[in-house]
Amino acid sequence: MLPLLRIQDLSVDFIAESGNTHALRNISLTVDRGEIVALVGESGSGKSVTSLSILQLLPSPPARYSTGSILFSEDGNAEINLLGKDRYSLQDIRGNKIAMIFQEPMTSLNPVLTCGEQVMEALLAHKKISKSEAKRITIEWFARVKLPSPPSIFGRYPHQLSGGQKQRVMIAMAMCCEPSLLICDEPTTALDVTVQKTILLLIKELQQQSNMGVIFITHDLGVVAEVADRAAVMYKGSIVEQDTVENLFDRPKHPYTKALLACRPVNHKRGERLPIVSDFLKETEPIVPHPVVADTGVRITDEHLPAAAVSPVLFDIEHISVWFPAKKTFLGKTLEYTKAVDDVSFEILRNETLGLVGESGCGKTTLGRTILRLIEPSSGKITYNGIDLTAKGKNELGPLRKDIQIIFQDPYSSLNPRLTIGSAIGEPMKVHSLFPSEKARKEKVVDLLEKVDLRSEHYNRYPHEFSGGQRQRIVIARALALNPSFIVCDESVSALDVSVQAQVLNLLNDLKKEFGFTMIFISHDLAVVRYISDRILVMNKGKIEESGPADQVYFAPESEYTRKLIASIPKGRPA
C-alpha cells in the first residue's frame, strides 16, 4: 500500500528583484495513515513553507517549485501529484481530503461570521447536505472538540471566545469533513500549558479515532514528545535528521537537534546559562556574558543566600483589587463586576526576579500593569521606594516613569512601524531630557544595541526588518534606555522559538547583573518562570494561590492548582 503522502526532493525558491531565496532544499518526507509526523525547527527553517506547499497555498510568483513532487494517495492504490493540479482540482482536496489548522486562530477566523457559520461553510462547500444537517454536524463537532455549551458557541463570534476555545473551533472546522491528512501549523504556540495539553490530547484522540495522518509543525521538542510517532528536524530549508521520537531524544545525531534538545529551560538548573544553537553549530561565537559593573548598588555574591537577607523592599503591594464592570443597567449602574485582581498583597525585594505565573485570565498581566499604574486599582495601596503611588496624580507619576518600565508580550505591536529602532529607543531619553545632545543620545542607543547583541548599523532600520527574537531585544533595549530600577516582563518569551527564547533569557540574566534592576517576570510557563526567578507567585482567578522560593514552588508545590500547571508542562521525553 502506498503512503498517504510522499514528498520527494522538493525545492522551493522565492524570486525577488533583490535575488532568489532558497526556502526548501531537496526535502523528502513520508506520512502514513494513523501516524503523526512532527516537523521541528526554528522560525525560517522551512516548516510552514513545506505545509503550505502541500496545499499549494504559496503565491506563485514569487514562489517557484524548482524540483520535486508532492504525491498524495487517499486510497493507498493510486497517487496524484499535488504540484500538477489546477486550482479547481485543489478546491476538492483543500479542507476536504487535506485540512489545515493554522497557528493563529484569531487571524484565521472571520470576525464578522459566527463560529458556527464558519464551520458550516466548510461542510456546505464539500458535502451535498442541507443547511440544517450542516448545523447539526457542526454542533456535534463542537461537542467532540469539547467546547462548552456547543449550541451557544455556534452563535458566538470569535472575539467572544478564549484563545483555547478559538483553537478548538479551528480544529472542528478542519476535522468536520473527515480529512485523510491533517496539517497542524504551530496550533499551541503561546497557549497556556494547561490549554496546550488539552489541545494536544484532543488532536491525538481525534487522529486515533479516524486513523488519519497528521503533520504536526512545532519549534518545541517537548511538544513533539507528547504527540508524535516520528519527527523530521528542519534547519535552513533542509531536513537534517529524521527518526522515531524515541531515537531522536535518546540518540540525536545532528548538532542542531542536540541544540534544540539542550536549550529548553526545563532541562537546566535555575539561573544556569542556557546553551544556544550557535554553541553547537559553531557558526558564530557564543554570546559572552556582559561584565558586571560595580555601580549598580546591591549585588548578591552568594546565590544560595536569600534575597531578603541582602535587599530591602522595593515595592509593597497591599490589598490591591482591580474590578471591571461586567454587567450594567440601561442607565449605566454596574450590577456585576469581573474581579481581575482580588485583594492581593505581597512584597518585591530589591534586585530580585519575582515570577508571576498562571493561566490566561488569572489576573497576572492586570496585576503587572496595575503596579505601574497603567491600570488604575479599585482599592489598595502600592508603595514604591517609600512613595505611595496610589496617592499620586497622573502628572506626578511622570518623573517616576523612567524608573519603572515594561517589556510587552508582542514586540511588533509595541514598536511604532514608522520609527526606526534607533528613534524608538532614543525617544524615552528625549522625553525625559536625558543627555545634552542628539549625538550623545545616539551614542547611548548604539551602546544599548550592542548590549542586546545587535549592531550599530541596525540603528536606521525599521521593526519589520527584524526577526521576532531581534524585535524582543529591541524592546528590551528601549526599556533599559532610562536605566530603570524596576522592569515588568509581560510574557516576553512566550511566542519565541526555544533557541531564541534561550538567548533572550540569557540576555535578561546578563543585563540584570550589569544594570542591577528588579524584575517581575510574567508567564504562563512555570518551567521558564522557575528557571529565571528567585521567588514565584502563582495566581488563580485573581488571587495568589501559592508563593515561595522558585525551586520550592516548582519541585514541592503545595497547591493542587500549581501541581496541575506543572503536570501540563511538556515532559521533553517520549511517553
Side-chain angles (χ1 to χ4, degrees):
M1 180 178 280
L2 292 167
L4 179 62
L5 183 78
R6 279 199 301 156
I7 300 175
Q8 294 185 317
D9 299 318
L10 181 67
S11 296
V12 179
D13 297 330
F14 287 103
I15 313 301
E17 291 182 4
S18 57
N20 296 350
T21 301
H22 303 296
L24 294 181
R25 302 168 186 266
N26 300 100
I27 69 163
S28 296
L29 183 73
T30 62
V31 182
D32 287 321
R33 293 158 190 82
E35 180 183 42
I36 299 179
V37 177
L39 275 182
V40 192
E42 298 173 281
S43 295
S45 63
K47 309 184 303 293
S48 292
V49 172
T50 303
S51 65
L52 293 171
S53 296
I54 294 169
L55 286 173
Q56 295 290 279
L57 293 175
L58 293 173
S60 181
R64 183 184 69 187
Y65 297 94
S66 49
T67 65
S69 57
I70 302 174
L71 304 171
F72 176 64
S73 175
E74 188 179 16
D75 59 7
N77 297 317
E79 292 179 319
I80 57 171
N81 188 356
L82 297 177
L83 289 185
K85 288 293 178 183
D86 58 43
R87 65 188 183 93
Y88 298 106
S89 301
L90 288 168
Q91 281 176 358
D92 182 52
I93 295 172
R94 292 172 180 159
N96 186 22
K97 298 173 183 178
I98 303 176
M100 188 166 181
I101 303 169
F102 293 95
Q103 179 173 352
E104 179 47 68
M106 195 63 220
T107 55
S108 303
L109 293 170
N110 190 330
V112 299
L113 292 179
T114 66
C115 297
E117 288 172 332
Q118 296 184 63
V119 178
M120 278 181 61
E121 190 175 42
L123 285 163
L124 293 171
H126 296 293
K127 307 290 183 185
K128 294 180 180 178
I129 56 177
S130 65
K131 284 188 176 182
S132 60
E133 178 68 3
K135 182 175 181 179
R136 183 191 67 78
I137 294 173
T138 298
I139 293 174
E140 184 180 285
W141 268 104
F142 281 173
R144 288 185 70 178
V145 298
K146 300 173 184 175
L147 280 164
S149 185
S152 173
I153 296 289
F154 184 93
R156 293 188 193 175
Y157 291 89
H159 73 272
Q160 296 175 298
L161 306 184
S162 69
Q165 289 173 335
K166 285 195 284 279
Q167 199 60 276
R168 289 167 190 265
V169 171
M170 288 292 297
I171 293 172
M173 189 186 304
M175 292 291 298
C176 65
C177 294
E178 300 181 2
S180 302
L181 176 66
L182 179 66
I183 302 170
C184 304
D185 188 2
E186 300 268 17
T188 60
T189 297
L191 291 179
D192 297 340
V193 286
T194 49
V195 177
Q196 173 180 265
K197 191 172 184 72
T198 58
I199 294 294
L200 294 176
L201 290 173
L202 175 61
I203 290 172
K204 196 167 181 89
E205 181 184 322
L206 294 173
Q207 177 261 339
Q208 290 172 345
Q209 289 174 1
S210 57
N211 198 41
M212 67 182 173
V214 175
I215 296 176
F216 196 98
I217 297 169
T218 182
H219 61 256
D220 189 347
L221 276 166
V223 170
V224 172
E226 297 281 319
V227 296
D229 302 303
R230 288 191 299 118
V233 181
M234 296 194 71
Y235 179 64
K236 291 188 175 179
S238 299
I239 293 178
V240 296
E241 186 167 359
Q242 288 191 63
D243 212 328
T244 64
V245 171
E246 289 80 3
N247 286 342
L248 204 68
F249 276 82
D250 292 335
R251 293 177 292 278
K253 296 171 184 171
H254 196 275
Y256 182 67
T257 310
K258 295 176 183 177
L260 290 180
L261 285 165
C263 64
R264 299 180 67 238
V266 73
N267 297 328
H268 296 271
K269 295 178 181 178
R270 185 171 63 83
E272 179 180 276
R273 190 162 188 82
L274 297 172
I276 59 176
V277 169
S278 61
D279 295 340
F280 289 80
L281 299 180
K282 304 300 179 186
E283 291 182 346
T284 59
E285 288 298 314
I287 297 172
V288 178
H290 296 292
V292 179
V293 295
D295 60 349
T296 55
V298 179
R299 287 170 51 197
I300 300 174
T301 55
D302 185 349
E303 63 178 355
H304 303 292
L305 191 64
V310 293
S311 301
V313 172
L314 181 67
F315 266 94
D316 190 6
I317 316 300
E318 300 177 76
H319 303 291
I320 283 293
S321 293
V322 183
W323 294 8
F324 297 112
K327 188 176 180 181
K328 292 185 176 182
T329 65
F330 179 74
L331 297 175
K333 183 181 178 182
T334 303
L335 297 176
E336 292 180 13
Y337 287 94
T338 298
K339 298 180 180 180
V341 179
D342 191 12
D343 194 25
V344 166
S345 299
F346 60 95
E347 294 178 341
I348 305 171
L349 306 178
R350 195 181 304 274
N351 294 104
E352 80 167 340
T353 298
L354 179 67
L356 196 56
V357 68
E359 298 172 285
S360 292
C362 72
K364 57 187 187 297
T365 293
T366 300
L367 178 57
R369 296 187 181 194
T370 303
I371 291 170
L372 301 182
R373 284 284 305 275
L374 297 177
I375 294 175
E376 291 300 321
S378 304
S379 62
K381 184 179 178 181
I382 302 167
T383 305
Y384 163 69
N385 250 345
I387 302 168
D388 183 0
L389 295 185
T390 47
K392 296 286 184 182
K394 288 187 177 180
N395 293 334
E396 294 176 290
L397 285 172
L400 292 171
R401 290 291 181 203
K402 72 182 186 68
D403 292 326
I404 49 179
Q405 293 289 308
I406 184 168
I407 301 169
F408 292 100
Q409 179 174 358
D410 182 359
Y412 193 68
S413 63
S414 61
L415 289 169
N416 188 333
R418 296 182 180 182
L419 288 181
T420 64
I421 66 158
S423 299
I425 296 170
E427 189 177 38
M429 291 187 270
K430 196 171 183 178
V431 169
H432 288 276
S433 303
L434 298 183
F435 299 98
S437 66
E438 193 66 36
K439 181 183 177 183
R441 280 193 286 270
K442 182 172 181 178
E443 289 174 354
K444 176 64 176 176
V445 170
V446 170
D447 180 56
L448 286 168
L449 285 173
E450 291 173 349
K451 275 183 166 50
V452 297
D453 299 297
L454 294 171
R455 298 187 301 275
S456 58
E457 54 263 37
H458 290 143
Y459 184 94
N460 290 316
R461 294 187 187 177
Y462 290 87
H464 71 273
E465 298 180 78
F466 295 89
S467 70
Q470 287 174 322
R471 284 196 290 265
Q472 196 62 271
R473 293 167 186 267
I474 291 164
V475 295
I476 290 171
R478 184 177 62 180
L480 292 172
L482 301 177
N483 197 20
S485 60
F486 179 70
I487 296 178
V488 174
C489 294
D490 187 5
E491 297 276 14
S492 53
V493 299
S494 63
L496 298 178
D497 296 339
V498 285
S499 55
V500 180
Q501 181 187 83
Q503 294 175 36
V504 173
L505 291 173
N506 285 339
L507 176 65
L508 286 171
N509 276 333
D510 289 344
L511 294 172
K512 186 172 180 291
K513 290 174 184 175
E514 179 171 351
F515 288 90
F517 54 79
T518 303
M519 182 165 63
I520 283 189
F521 191 90
I522 300 172
S523 178
H524 60 256
D525 189 339
L526 233 172
V528 173
V529 172
R530 188 273 313 175
Y531 166 77
I532 201 168
S533 302
D534 300 304
R535 286 191 300 133
I536 292 177
L537 302 182
V538 181
M539 285 195 73
N540 182 23
K541 296 178 180 177
K543 292 183 176 292
I544 294 176
E545 185 86 14
E546 183 171 352
S547 65
D551 285 342
Q552 177 183 308
V553 171
Y554 188 81
F555 293 110
E558 297 177 358
S559 163
E560 183 60 37
Y561 176 75
T562 310
R563 286 194 284 271
K564 184 182 78 167
L565 287 179
I566 293 168
S568 300
I569 298 169
K571 293 183 287 294
R573 304 292 296 178

